[in-house]
Amino acid sequence: MAGPEQAGDALARAHDRGSGTVMVLGIIAVALCLALGATGLIQAQAAGGRARAAADLAALAGATALTSVVAPADPCATAQRVARANGAELAACTVDGEDVTVAVGVPTRILGIPRRADAAARAGPVNPL
């Protein structure tokens, strides 16, 4: 015969039935949220890298066009062409002496949301200390 203690154990086990499934579903949900967050961070980092590269290349092209002896050209027009060729939009271009400073923006989508990664760069001769 089953005593009252055994009946209480059976009742407790019946109430715990399915709790492991709920816990596993919770762990899976947390893992999916972490993966989604990591994906967003990776996309943002990649867009920032593309923007920095486009800004660097546009500034170098502008400075080269400014100081070119063979074929001098408008540095900001050259910087704009190079930025556009790298998938960026030239937001600003300033020439100060032999220095060319540019700001660019790269349109991107991070987790499906349209965003813009901005970067700036300066190119010109090295300034002595």
Side-chain angles (χ1 to χ4, degrees), residues 22-71:
V22 173
M23 183 178 70
V24 168
L25 287 174
I27 291 170
I28 290 172
V30 168
L32 286 174
C33 287
L34 290 173
L36 189 64
T39 300
L41 288 174
I42 290 168
Q43 288 176 338
Q45 189 71 16
R50 285 193 311 272
R52 286 188 299 275
D56 288 342
L57 291 170
L60 286 170
T64 301
L66 180 66
T67 59
S68 177
V69 178
V70 177

Side-chain angles (χ1 to χ4, degrees), residues 2 14-16 32 38 49 52 64 74 78 82 85 98 101 104 107:
H15 287 301
D16 287 344
L32 286 174
R52 286 188 299 275
T64 301
D74 178 29
T78 304
V82 170
E98 293 183 336
T101 304
V104 301

Side-chain angles (χ1 to χ4, degrees), residues 44-127:
Q45 189 71 16
R50 285 193 311 272
R52 286 188 299 275
D56 288 342
L57 291 170
L60 286 170
T64 301
L66 180 66
T67 59
S68 177
V69 178
V70 177
D74 178 29
C76 290
T78 304
Q80 182 174 9
R81 281 194 308 274
V82 170
R84 189 173 295 137
N86 284 285
E89 301 165 1
L90 188 67
C93 177
T94 58
V95 178
D96 182 22
E98 293 183 336
D99 292 344
V100 176
T101 304
V102 298
V104 301
V106 174
T108 186
R109 294 182 74 80
I110 298 175
L111 297 178
I113 300 169
R115 303 291 298 193
R116 180 181 159 117
D118 296 321
R122 182 194 73 80
V126 176
N127 296 326

